[in-house]
Amino acid sequence: MAPQHGSRRARIAFSDAAAKQVEAITSEAEIHALDRALVVVSVDPDVGEPIPGNADGPLLREYTDDVERVRLVYWISALRTVVVIAYIEV
């Protein structure tokens, strides 16, 4: 019998602005909190709430972890395999 695998995670990518935000994080606690939030979003990209906007760009979503105090703004690729993080607040 073949082993069963869980659902596949989406790959995380960062916009240029979000990459700069990540580079600026120096606290290990903030890095740990961000890592946890990124895992949540990669496992279930629909976890965040849609942000109302216009239809010209990608549908932005917002995920907020009130315990870890992390906020991510992101969009999901058309094939749902990549989550692009646009903004990070830790």
Side-chain angles (χ1 to χ4, degrees):
M1 181 177 225
Q4 291 183 335
H5 298 284
S7 62
R8 189 174 157 158
R9 285 184 179 182
R11 188 171 60 91
I12 298 290
F14 296 98
S15 68
D16 290 341
K20 287 179 184 176
Q21 290 172 306
V22 170
E23 289 173 9
I25 298 173
T26 57
S27 162
E28 282 192 41
E30 289 178 345
I31 291 170
H32 178 72
L34 176 60
D35 282 347
R36 289 175 48 99
L38 292 173
V39 167
V40 169
V41 171
S42 73
V43 170
D44 182 9
D46 292 321
V47 71
E49 296 294 322
I51 298 174
N54 64 30
D56 293 340
L59 174 64
L60 293 176
R61 301 183 73 83
E62 176 181 35
Y63 170 72
T64 304
D65 182 329
D66 294 327
V67 174
E68 296 285 352
R69 297 184 181 207
V70 176
R71 179 176 168 239
L72 303 174
V73 176
Y74 65 96
W75 71 87
I76 307 166
S77 69
L79 297 177
R80 306 190 62 72
T81 57
V82 178
V83 174
V84 180
I85 307 298
Y87 175 79
I88 298 168
E89 195 173 280
V90 181

